[in-house]
Amino acid sequence: MSDAAAALSLTGITKAYNHGKPNEVSVLRGVDLEVAAGEVVALVAPSGAGKSTLLHIAGLLDVADSGTVSLAGQDFSKLSDRKRTAARRQDIGFIYQFHHLLPEFTALENVALPQYANGVLAAEAQARALDLLSRVGVDGRADHRPAALSGGEQQRVAFCRALANEPRLLLADEPTGNLDPGTSDQVFEALMALVRDTGLAAVIATHNPELAARMDRIVRLDHGKLSAA
Ligand code: ADP
């Protein structure tokens, strides 16, 4: 496959905040990154280095000052907000440090809801939600609301929600950063199994060197640039 077919391709990404002001901060200074389908990349960065900024740009939630963001060979950097939003909904799954599940809905409904937004019928969406929940071992909690789940279970449900619409790319910002070390390890294993099973491309930011070492490749963000670690 050519480079253009990488699941995610970032070229020459720059981003500054507070342009032209005394407190201007240049966060990304020419970031290049290619992630192939099925590849899991660890993103390691000191706090404040611009990890969230980079993930938001890669996930089409924010716009770079310059450079291109391509998904499966299509350049999304200059498309309309509407097209970027559609691509985000269909092709990209996000996981954050906190689960952000909807408190008034059950685990099953939290995983089914994003599918409804994509036009999937209820029975099909619920069956897929249950299948995903079973793959991370929380199908027994399918009818529990988030408040009745442990931290590790909440995060497993959030993984399922992120994968509900079969994205090509998963972006995760410290997905187990909020859990105690033992739980973090198990929940990370569950995430990796799910990712491997679906063959998606993933960029997973972590401060934990042991978790980073379990991914295919480590890239380090420092002083606005990415380097291989
Ligand atoms: P990380 O996720 O690596 O901790 P961020 O991407 O959140 O880093 O932020 C990188 C730098 O950009 C930090 O110095 C932060 O203060 C600054 N920054 C982030 N967002 C904004 C914003 N909206 N306005 C101004 N500065 C920002």
Side-chain angles (χ1 to χ4, degrees), residues 47-130:
S47 186
K51 166 177 62 73
S52 306
T53 302
L54 182 59
L55 290 173
H56 285 163
I57 290 171
L60 309 177
L61 283 165
D62 198 358
V63 181
D65 296 334
S66 62
T68 59
V69 180
S70 300
L71 298 174
Q74 188 181 359
D75 181 359
F76 281 89
S77 344
K78 289 161 196 76
L79 294 186
S80 65
D81 277 351
R82 196 175 53 79
K83 288 194 174 141
R84 290 164 57 87
T85 301
R88 194 162 63 233
R89 196 178 286 160
Q90 280 158 20
D91 290 336
I92 305 175
F94 287 95
I95 304 172
Y96 299 95
Q97 190 171 349
F98 298 98
H99 59 81
H100 298 299
L101 297 172
L102 297 171
E104 66 274 40
F105 291 97
T106 65
L108 185 86
E109 289 165 341
N110 266 281
V111 184
L113 280 168
Q115 301 178 70
Y116 301 156
N118 263 6
V120 179
L121 296 178
E124 196 186 323
Q126 287 167 17
R128 175 163 169 77
L130 196 58

Side-chain angles (χ1 to χ4, degrees), residues 113-185:
L113 280 168
Q115 301 178 70
Y116 301 156
N118 263 6
V120 179
L121 296 178
E124 196 186 323
Q126 287 167 17
R128 175 163 169 77
L130 196 58
D131 175 52
L132 283 166
L133 292 171
S134 74
R135 280 150 66 181
V136 293
V138 287
D139 46 323
R141 301 279 185 277
D143 60 353
H144 291 229
R145 291 186 181 180
L149 300 172
S150 71
E153 288 168 346
Q154 290 167 344
Q155 214 45 354
R156 287 170 197 249
V157 176
F159 299 164
C160 297
R161 179 189 50 187
L163 299 191
N165 283 327
E166 303 183 71
R168 331 169 173 267
L169 174 66
L170 176 71
L171 299 171
D173 197 350
E174 299 277 351
T176 61
N178 193 33
L179 304 172
D180 66 72
T183 309
S184 162
D185 210 64

Side-chain angles (χ1 to χ4, degrees), residues 15-18 23-28 43 45-56 62 173-174 205 207 221:
K15 179 76 177 178
Y17 292 109
N18 305 320
N23 59 347
E24 176 166 331
V25 44
S26 177
V27 180
L28 304 176
L43 172 62
S47 186
K51 166 177 62 73
S52 306
T53 302
L54 182 59
L55 290 173
H56 285 163
D62 198 358
D173 197 350
E174 299 277 351
H207 282 303
L221 177 63

